[in-house]
Amino acid sequence: MQTNTTETQFIKTLRTALGIGQESAGARAAKIFTDPKDPSPEQAAIVKTIKSRRDKDHMALLHHLSREAVPLNLNVIPVKDKAQVSKAIANLVKETGPEWGAKKSVVQWDHPLVNALDLKTALKDQNVPVHTAAFDTTGMDDLTRSKARDRVRRQMIDSYIGVTSADFCLADTATLVMKSRPKEARAVSLLPSIHVAVIGKEQMLTNLKELYALLKYDPETREAELLPHHMTLISGPSKTADIELVMVHGAHGPRKLYLYVITG
Amino acid sequence: MSHDAATKKYAQNAASAIKDEILQKALNKIQSGLGKATALSYQNLDEGPDLRLAAHDIREKTINNLDVVLTRLAAKIRENGGRVYFARTGEQAVEYCLKIARQHHVKQVVKGKSMVTEEIRLNPAFEARGIEVNETDLGEYIIQLAGEKPSHIIAPAAHKTRQQVGRLFERKLGVPYTEDPPELTRIARKALREKFLTADMGISGCNLACAQTGHITVVSNEGNIRMATTLPKVHVAIMGMERVVPNLEDHDILFRLLSRGAAAQKLGGCVSYIGGPAGPEFPDGPEEFHLVILDNGRSRILADPKFREILCCIRCSACLNVCPVYGKIGGHAYDATYCGPIGAVLTPLMEGMNQAKDLCLGESLCGACQQACSVNIDLPRMLLELRYRLAYGDDQWETQPVSVAEKTIHQAWAFLAGHPALYRAFLRTFALGQKIFPTSRGMITKMPGPGAGWTRSRDIQPLSQTPFRKRFKKLNAKKAHG
Ligand code: SF4
């Protein structure tokens, strides 16, 4: 195979340049890669800290997040329960208008927490449609699938508010962490002008280090799901300083980002 | 271009940059703002600024084991359904990208900001085949509309004023003139949204891959790279072969330093981890993902132990923001893909030491770059090493020893230094002889012959009439008496 010859040659060139042989490759690999099943004491301690967190620790993280979110233009809104979120979103829809088209519509993930908001009902009296950007592909042929993809894409383009959840939120950098899953279309948090995310406070982590420790060294997290082919970190809405270093929000993607944290 | 022509061009570019008031103001703004903020952001790291040293170790370890690290990365990505292509040269990389474009009948490409695609001159190759290429980073978009080249690694349009951008948009996009940055951003947002939605292919670089998990990561604050790597059906990422770390915990350290070095941020605004295509069960995301791993002269650098360290670079651009030379002459004067201190080391190594020698000769060796570097690369050492190879000649890098005359002068000097009596006589004669040169405020302002090069742009201190040797003796005598 063409690819493989080039790869072999490429790697061989590297070895020649480094002055090392292939024989040592195995041993060197064992040394340079850390083993997910054998965390260092530091990494093990991080996982333990995360797992031992209680309500008050999560509240403290939420507090930290609220502070860090301000300069990033991320609106963090702690709420008691889901009903408050539905109400807040209904209000948001009432008070804002679409950026591109004339008609208001909302698009959301097929996700337990988002579904539980029952946005269809919440937006019924305003007559605003709510689309769910997902479809079941089992048994679908290619053509039907590609048509379904096109339909979902159209919905995401047309909707001006996208509602998602997230896997984690990193307090220290005000970062939403979203792994890609079949029912959670990536563009729901990308194409609409407003992104609304809803999480529970127990999804709070401190920083990137904690996230990585959890993803790599926590057996429970790993068993549930390995890192998928795609993951996104979002720290506040899009911004640019490319014209005279003047900070402007909303270059591409959502111009506003609301994060509701359910404190329960 | 001959060497002399290159030197002349460098000098001319630098001279006109220094006269360009707009550019000087922009450079000042970058350096006084970003340069200082970055230094402070290292201080504020949880682990303290020494994290840079740990990061350097990680980078070194990676580079020294690049064969196993890249093998793992490629295997993982293939496992995830992605395709990996190893390109020895820039042409091979471009050819591969074009092949994919042909397979998918691509008419329009959206790009995330990527220096490596500048390096391999990807855009012109696509355009020559009638494929429209759209830069989507606002700065790059401005530069592309203006038909220019980026002047800074992460702030490519820093040399343009809002008025210039306003007139450019008016002319190229047919919109009413405005010089309001938010309004200009909105205009670009609208124009580019159309492009994102119709593009058949997305092309990005790679900020830092993680071999163990098999992902590349790409960062942007604007969100444009997320658009370019999510919406089109095909995504091709191109990475310099050194832009990788082994483990997630390494990625954490390097990534945080990259964000700080680049923009004094704790974390880049929008980060995508990409390890393969979106499978058939996913409602969106590219259905094909290709990663091109590029050598293009890097293995030659790897083979030279004195220069290998430059492959630790993660292109954060922090060194540009503190360099006194970059701060005066700006990015364009370097006339190369990579500018500033990193460019001054990298360009001679990638494009030829002889052709690009002025870049390393032009830097000041002040050491500011190493202090600013997010991974503490010893750039000054390598600048000196380049000068050494240029002066003494090196077959590996095709340099010849410099002129016989210069060598003779150095030999004569060495001889003098080894013969004190002669040395003293020479200095005495010169101290007397120098009186014929014009002076101002005690400095010699003009010298003839080869000395003219020195005095053209600066004055030189005359030799003292009483040599230090004598004064030292006197001082000592005084001490002994007193
Ligand atoms: S040399 Fe250091 S400071 Fe300069 S771009 Fe590379 S990593 Fe950044």
Side-chain angles (χ1 to χ4, degrees):
Chain A
M1 227 168 80
Q2 178 60 38
T3 319
N4 275 336
T5 6
T6 359
E7 172 169 0
T8 318
Q9 278 166 359
F10 193 99
I11 299 293
K12 214 168 126 199
T13 310
L14 294 190
R15 292 202 173 116
T16 315
L18 287 163
I20 44 178
Q22 194 183 350
E23 327 76 64
S24 64
R28 285 186 292 119
K31 229 168 122 188
I32 199 167
F33 290 110
T34 47
D35 180 359
K37 296 201 184 74
D38 184 21
S40 66
E42 186 205 0
Q43 296 290 333
I46 298 174
V47 174
K48 205 168 145 211
T49 310
I50 299 169
K51 297 258 155 171
S52 62
R53 286 207 177 108
R54 299 288 164 261
D55 266 11
K56 67 166 186 0
D57 306 310
H58 292 130
M59 288 309 282
L61 282 176
L62 174 56
H63 203 73
H64 185 160
L65 167 70
S66 304
R67 262 200 323 270
E68 294 295 337
V70 177
L72 296 176
N73 231 11
L74 164 70
N75 303 288
V76 177
I77 307 140
V79 285
K80 277 264 142 346
D81 52 26
K82 293 177 205 117
Q84 272 193 1
V85 183
S86 317
K87 222 191 257 154
I89 294 178
N91 259 333
L92 186 67
V93 173
K94 200 172 286 163
E95 283 161 13
T96 53
E99 180 184 357
W100 308 109
K103 218 174 135 336
K104 285 184 186 182
S105 67
V106 174
V107 67
Q108 68 163 62
W109 277 0
D110 182 4
H111 179 282
L113 183 53
V114 181
N115 293 343
L117 300 175
D118 194 10
L119 292 178
K120 276 210 164 86
T121 313
L123 298 178
K124 204 166 173 187
D125 54 347
Q126 295 188 58
N127 226 342
V128 172
V130 180
H131 307 290
T132 302
F135 50 87
D136 187 1
T137 51
T138 32
M140 255 188 195
D141 60 51
D142 279 0
L143 187 67
T144 332
R145 193 170 53 81
S146 126
K147 275 194 182 142
R149 271 180 79 116
D150 286 348
R151 176 171 44 81
V152 164
R153 183 177 164 110
R154 197 67 249 166
Q155 289 169 346
M156 294 188 288
I157 294 171
D158 291 342
S159 299
Y160 85 110
I161 296 181
V163 185
T164 73
S165 184
D167 289 279
F168 304 102
C169 177
L170 316 179
D172 202 28
T173 47
T175 305
L176 286 172
V177 180
M178 300 192 277
K179 294 185 193 173
S180 290
R181 294 192 191 84
K183 294 176 168 181
E184 299 164 9
R186 279 150 72 169
V188 173
S189 58
L190 184 63
L191 283 172
S193 309
I194 303 174
H195 175 199
V196 178
V198 194
I199 60 167
K201 71 169 183 310
E202 64 291 344
Q203 288 170 275
M204 298 288 316
L205 296 174
T206 312
N207 51 25
L208 192 64
K209 200 183 223 95
E210 283 196 2
L211 171 71
Y212 284 176
L214 205 62
L215 291 176
K216 179 164 175 176
Y217 291 111
D218 175 39
E220 266 173 43
T221 310
R222 259 201 344 261
E223 257 154 50
E225 175 191 51
L226 285 174
L227 202 56
H229 75 279
H230 181 264
M231 177 168 85
T232 301
L233 307 191
I234 300 171
S235 310
S238 138
K239 54 184 172 291
T240 182
D242 273 350
I243 301 174
E244 289 191 14
L245 298 177
V246 178
M247 181 64 76
V248 179
H249 284 272
H252 307 283
R255 304 209 278 190
K256 287 238 176 317
L257 178 43
Y258 299 89
L259 171 62
Y260 291 94
V261 185
I262 301 175
T263 56
Chain B
M1 200 185 314
S2 79
H3 308 169
D4 288 349
T7 302
K8 206 161 156 201
K9 190 155 176 224
Y10 177 68
Q12 270 169 2
N13 284 344
S16 56
I18 290 168
K19 278 194 219 114
D20 183 341
E21 273 170 40
I22 293 170
L23 178 69
Q24 290 302 319
K25 226 159 117 195
L27 289 167
N28 215 327
K29 218 167 169 180
I30 293 180
Q31 293 209 322
S32 60
L34 215 45
K36 292 217 174 72
T38 297
L40 187 70
S41 78
Y42 294 149
Q43 293 297 330
N44 292 340
L45 279 159
D46 286 342
E47 297 91 337
D50 282 354
L51 192 65
R52 292 164 57 248
L53 310 187
H56 191 276
D57 286 349
I58 295 173
R59 291 298 292 147
E60 217 160 44
K61 196 174 67 184
T62 310
I63 300 303
N64 288 335
N65 292 283
L66 204 53
D67 57 333
V68 295
V69 177
L70 286 180
T71 307
R72 177 76 58 99
L73 176 69
K76 272 279 170 189
I77 288 186
R78 288 188 182 127
E79 226 170 76
N80 257 326
R83 318 249 178 98
V84 184
Y85 177 70
F86 285 85
R88 196 170 53 77
T89 63
E91 293 84 61
Q92 283 180 356
V94 171
E95 260 322 303
Y96 182 80
C97 296
L98 282 170
K99 193 181 86 188
I100 301 164
R102 268 197 305 276
Q103 275 167 10
H104 292 272
H105 309 288
V106 169
K107 288 186 196 64
Q108 195 202 318
V109 173
V110 278
K111 270 186 70 201
K113 214 186 101 44
S114 141
M115 295 304 291
V116 77
T117 57
E118 293 276 337
E119 176 190 320
I120 63 174
R121 311 209 183 348
L122 184 103
N123 293 16
F126 268 65
E127 279 153 8
R129 279 160 188 80
I131 302 171
E132 181 184 327
V133 181
N134 296 289
E135 292 292 349
T136 62
D137 171 84
L138 179 56
E140 291 276 349
Y141 181 62
I142 294 169
I143 292 304
Q144 192 186 28
L145 284 182
E148 293 177 18
K149 280 191 174 158
S151 68
H152 187 282
I153 295 181
I154 65 150
H159 60 284
K160 289 210 140 353
T161 61
R162 57 183 84 191
Q163 289 79 12
Q164 288 173 329
V165 177
R167 278 192 296 272
L168 181 71
F169 280 11
E170 182 184 27
R171 207 171 63 238
K172 295 276 177 165
L173 302 174
V175 292
Y177 175 82
T178 168
E179 52 181 59
D180 177 36
E183 186 57 22
L184 288 166
T185 306
R186 208 193 53 76
I187 293 168
R189 170 182 170 87
K190 184 155 183 260
L192 284 169
R193 185 176 163 99
E194 294 304 313
K195 304 289 182 193
F196 282 127
L197 292 176
T198 48
D200 334 272
M201 185 175 185
I203 296 182
S204 77
C206 161
N207 289 94
L208 197 61
C210 177
Q212 176 220 13
T213 68
H215 289 83
I216 64 157
T217 47
V218 277
V219 201
S220 70
N221 278 319
E222 295 182 6
N224 61 312
I225 301 192
R226 214 185 139 206
M227 289 273 204
T229 59
T230 299
L231 300 171
K233 270 208 160 76
V234 187
H235 170 206
V236 182
I238 305 164
M239 68 178 264
M241 68 179 197
E242 77 283 11
R243 301 290 283 278
V244 59
V245 286
N247 302 290
L248 268 184
E249 47 271 49
D250 305 325
H251 194 270
D252 165 55
I253 293 176
L254 266 308
F255 209 67
R256 282 188 288 138
L257 283 167
L258 174 65
S259 306
R260 283 173 200 246
Q265 284 176 312
K266 280 187 172 178
L267 206 64
C270 194
V271 188
S272 301
Y273 297 67
I274 301 157
E281 68 278 24
F282 286 83
D284 65 348
E287 291 168 75
E288 231 179 271
F289 171 65
H290 297 259
L291 175 64
V292 179
I293 300 178
L294 178 72
D295 182 330
N296 204 27
R298 288 166 174 79
S299 57
R300 189 177 178 208
I301 302 175
L302 188 69
D304 192 320
K306 290 270 169 65
F307 292 124
R308 188 179 288 174
E309 188 187 356
I310 203 63
L311 296 175
C312 296
C313 171
I314 52 174
R315 303 282 189 281
C316 69
S317 76
C319 54
L320 277 58
N321 301 338
V322 297
C323 173
V325 178
Y326 175 88
K328 273 289 153 203
I329 68 174
H332 288 152
Y334 292 80
D335 196 26
T337 308
Y338 305 103
C339 57
I342 174 62
V345 174
L346 204 54
T347 310
L349 295 174
M350 293 195 33
E351 283 170 23
M353 243 179 234
N354 294 311
Q355 290 77 358
K357 68 176 193 306
D358 300 290
L359 270 52
C360 64
L361 298 178
E363 295 296 301
S364 72
L365 300 174
C366 68
C369 47
Q370 182 178 9
Q371 279 172 29
C373 175
S374 54
V375 289
N376 197 44
I377 293 175
D378 198 345
L379 292 151
R381 178 187 65 74
M382 285 184 275
L383 286 169
L384 272 176
E385 185 65 32
L386 282 165
R387 294 184 183 190
Y388 183 90
R389 307 283 175 105
L390 281 163
Y392 289 93
D394 184 326
D395 289 344
Q396 280 300 314
W397 298 96
E398 293 133 25
T399 57
Q400 273 79 46
V402 280
S403 69
V404 188
E406 195 174 325
K407 207 170 168 190
T408 320
I409 292 173
H410 278 129
Q411 275 168 347
W413 185 257
F415 180 79
L416 273 178
H419 297 80
L422 255 177
Y423 181 79
R424 262 174 251 149
F426 170 77
L427 284 191
R428 251 195 323 273
T429 324
F430 199 84
L432 286 173
Q434 69 185 353
K435 291 196 176 137
I436 59 164
F437 302 140
T439 55
S440 158
R441 275 178 265 138
M443 300 283 278
I444 296 173
T445 53
K446 211 167 179 178
M447 288 206 296
W454 177 280
T455 47
R456 190 160 40 233
S457 48
R458 51 217 184 291
D459 298 338
I460 188 169
Q461 177 89 40
L463 286 177
S464 168
Q465 290 303 327
T466 348
F468 177 69
R469 223 171 338 98
K470 260 194 195 151
R471 277 182 285 155
F472 189 67
K473 250 191 210 149
K474 231 191 209 158
L475 266 172
N476 260 353
K478 243 193 215 158
K479 234 193 203 160
H481 287 194

